[in-house]
Amino acid sequence: MKRSIYNQLLAWRKSPRRKPLMLYGARQVGKTYILKEFGHSEFENMVYINCYQNPAIQTLFSENMDVKRIMLGLSALSGEEIIPQKTLVFLDEVQDVPDVISSLKYFCEDAPEIVIVTAGSLLGVLNMEGKSFPTGKVDIIHMYPMSFNEFLEAIGEDRMMELLEIPRREELINALIPKYVELLRQYYFVGGMPEAVAAFIESHTPEIVRKIQKDILAAYDADIAKHAGKETQRARLVFQSIPSQLAKENKKFIFGALKKGARAADFENAIQWLVDAGLVYKIPRLTKVDMPIKFYMELDAFKLFVLDVGLLGAMAEIPPSLMLIGNNVFSDYKGAFTENYVLTQMISVPRTVIAYYSKDNSTMEIDFVIQAGASLLPVEVKAEENVKSKSLRQFITVDQAGSGLKGIRFSMKGFIKQDWMENVPLFAAHSFIKDVSQRSLV
């Protein structure tokens, strides 16, 4: 299956300032697959080593950081010659051998001609006690589950995907809304985890897809038990509470919903562990909407979202029939799926920073504020065609009057442009934000 991250890998390889690459992401988002494709397609040969439960690798990287010695050992273990610029050295599951991560500093300094990539979860960084992280000596790319656009291409709807990617095709896209809505309904159920998408393509059997989603969630639970240490039970409580937290009208994370008397201090480490593992996205509140938004983030007030909308459905135990037939998935659950979906489509676009805004002493809230490149966009999310936007209108035309900001509303309606707001169909969320980000760099 094609992945848009491939273009980022190509750009990294061609960069004159290339450093060793660390590809991060939650388990099972497709890191190993895409790097193997990259190695086979773009290089003369590839040295692939899986570091998981690999005593030889642990020994090789624990002795000293002589790069020539390490390369000789990697070549012997793989049976492949390492040729500068022509061989991709791919070390997988590096979170299990922190010394591999530390060694990247020496590859950067002593052997910049060697093209080396690593893949793993952020769990390894959390467990690097006594080891040095190669700060400033590595390039980092974060990989996410498949976007809706990638899903369309994977299931053979190339033309529908291409229409979303080509600017100024709004009228044609609006004419195809029923078809896009049907495909979006499928994506809400399947999500973007590559194994679930592959099963959907091969079988078109909802029960098989749901079983794979459950297996992935079980693997994540095992990771929590293995790596979270004393935060295990708290991390499980937080992760399992997200569907009910998102079903609330006000989606701000409420600690009291976890257990009676729960305080932020009791769970902040567990939440950070889930964020670092890539299992949840933490979206902080803004005290002011201005650039750069990181200056105005209130980190103790936030929303939490699951990394994949398909996994959210599996966590909530929603029967596949309710998601695949009719518009229940869009209209029910108080927009929980829709807001989680929009967040995942936006966060996978490079050069984006995302928060939300709520006004002090008021019920007014802007679902998301996204800094895409040099653009600042207040975003409202509507799960249905009932698109009254009182908060967004008040915010743009009164609170921010004269600021030049224009609101964006993602809804089930087609493209509509007004002087203070632009409506974008939900299925075009990823394409729209990507286009804004790219145009702001020109």
Side-chain angles (χ1 to χ4, degrees):
M1 291 183 287
K2 293 182 180 179
R3 301 297 303 270
S4 59
I5 200 172
Y6 198 92
N7 292 328
Q8 294 183 57
L9 296 175
L10 287 175
W12 166 77
R13 186 193 178 185
K14 295 174 183 177
S15 173
R17 296 180 297 277
R18 186 192 68 226
K19 303 172 186 176
L21 175 66
M22 301 182 73
L23 183 64
Y24 277 145
R27 287 190 184 276
Q28 303 191 55
V29 297
K31 300 183 296 294
T32 299
Y33 171 84
I34 199 64
L35 285 177
K36 282 187 173 180
E37 284 289 303
F38 182 57
H40 291 312
S41 301
E42 307 297 334
F43 295 83
E44 289 189 7
N45 69 322
M46 177 172 61
V47 167
Y48 174 77
I49 302 288
N50 190 320
C51 300
Y52 178 66
Q53 292 186 346
N54 191 329
I57 285 296
Q58 294 196 4
T59 300
L60 178 64
F61 282 86
S62 64
E63 293 181 357
N64 61 63
M65 291 300 174
D66 181 87
V67 172
K68 289 184 178 179
R69 181 190 63 81
I70 291 173
M71 286 196 297
L72 183 63
L74 293 174
S75 181
L77 287 170
S78 65
E80 294 280 348
E81 181 182 4
I82 298 178
I83 308 169
Q85 308 295 350
K86 296 182 179 181
T87 301
L88 179 67
V89 178
F90 175 15
L91 304 176
D92 202 1
E93 300 288 357
V94 294
Q95 71 274 1
D96 286 330
V97 188
D99 283 319
V100 172
I101 299 174
S102 298
S103 76
L104 297 181
K105 171 186 176 182
Y106 302 96
F107 275 93
C108 178
E109 294 176 343
D110 302 334
E113 71 281 2
I114 301 301
V115 187
I116 182 169
V117 298
T118 66
S121 71
L122 287 166
L123 301 177
V125 178
L126 300 179
N127 295 322
M128 286 186 67
E129 295 181 7
K131 308 294 182 181
S132 60
F133 184 82
T135 305
K137 303 297 182 179
V138 292
D139 293 318
I140 296 175
I141 296 178
H142 201 122
M143 189 171 186
Y144 299 91
M146 298 172 72
S147 67
F148 178 60
N149 292 33
E150 290 175 309
F151 173 78
L152 289 178
E153 189 170 22
I155 64 174
E157 295 287 354
D158 303 61
R159 184 56 180 157
M160 300 294 281
M161 182 275 292
E162 290 167 2
L163 281 175
L164 295 178
E165 297 280 348
I166 301 172
R168 295 177 294 280
R169 292 297 179 94
E170 286 90 347
E171 289 187 11
L172 181 54
I173 291 172
N174 285 350
L176 294 169
I177 284 178
K179 174 68 171 176
Y180 277 115
V181 169
E182 174 60 30
L183 294 168
L184 183 61
R185 186 184 296 111
Q186 294 175 16
Y187 181 77
Y188 271 36
F189 170 67
V190 178
M193 302 303 287
E195 187 180 359
V197 175
F200 179 71
I201 295 168
E202 294 166 7
S203 71
H204 264 72
T205 304
E207 290 75 16
I208 294 176
V209 174
R210 179 53 60 85
K211 181 182 184 306
I212 288 171
Q213 292 167 336
K214 288 287 190 178
D215 289 346
I216 292 172
L217 290 171
Y220 288 164
D221 188 69
D223 272 344
I224 293 173
K226 178 180 178 181
H227 295 286
K230 63 181 181 181
E231 300 298 331
T232 294
Q233 293 307 316
R234 292 188 183 97
R236 281 174 167 161
L237 269 177
V238 172
F239 192 58
Q240 293 166 2
S241 79
I242 293 179
S244 60
Q245 297 267 359
L246 290 177
K248 297 187 285 81
E249 204 67 51
N250 178 358
K251 295 175 177 58
K252 174 186 172 183
F253 193 83
I254 303 298
F255 290 96
L258 298 175
K259 65 177 183 179
K260 187 176 180 180
R263 301 174 303 162
D266 297 330
F267 287 89
E268 59 184 10
N269 289 337
I271 290 173
Q272 190 59 49
W273 188 94
L274 291 168
V275 171
D276 289 339
L279 304 187
V280 305
Y281 303 133
K282 183 179 180 181
I283 306 302
R285 177 180 179 265
L286 291 180
T287 57
K288 178 182 178 182
V289 178
D290 204 350
M291 293 270 279
I293 65 175
K294 282 193 174 182
F295 281 8
Y296 308 104
M297 287 181 173
E298 181 185 8
L299 300 180
D300 58 351
F302 54 87
K303 302 176 184 179
L304 288 184
F305 296 91
V306 181
L307 76 157
D308 176 68
V309 70
L311 294 183
L312 177 62
M315 291 171 68
E317 299 281 1
I318 298 178
S321 60
L322 293 183
M323 302 187 72
L324 291 167
I325 302 173
N327 287 332
N328 298 62
V329 71
F330 302 123
S331 59
D332 294 350
Y333 321 117
K334 299 181 180 178
F337 282 93
T338 304
E339 202 163 318
N340 203 110
Y341 158 78
V342 169
L343 185 276
T344 59
Q345 301 309 292
M346 297 192 301
I347 205 168
S348 62
V349 176
R351 300 178 300 278
T352 56
V353 184
I354 305 173
Y356 80 98
Y357 173 76
S358 60
K359 194 173 182 178
D360 292 333
N361 303 316
S362 171
T363 59
M364 191 195 81
E365 179 176 304
I366 305 301
D367 295 324
F368 298 110
V369 178
I370 179 167
Q371 183 179 315
S375 298
L376 189 61
L377 306 174
V379 172
E380 185 174 64
V381 176
K382 293 291 186 180
E384 306 176 72
E385 288 195 37
N386 179 7
V387 290
K388 292 181 180 179
S389 303
K390 292 176 61 178
S391 291
L392 186 62
R393 180 187 285 271
Q394 165 77 20
F395 180 75
I396 296 295
T397 62
V398 179
D399 296 4
Q400 295 287 326
S403 68
L405 289 178
K406 187 170 184 175
I408 302 300
R409 182 180 64 207
F410 292 117
S411 78
M412 295 298 288
K413 285 188 174 293
F415 286 98
I416 304 170
K417 292 185 179 180
Q418 298 177 246
D419 55 351
W420 63 276
M421 180 273 298
E422 181 173 355
N423 189 88
V424 178
L426 283 167
F427 51 78
H430 179 80
S431 296
F432 180 84
I433 296 299
K434 184 171 73 170
D435 182 57
V436 170
S437 179
Q438 290 174 344
R439 282 191 284 112
S440 69
L441 298 176
V442 176

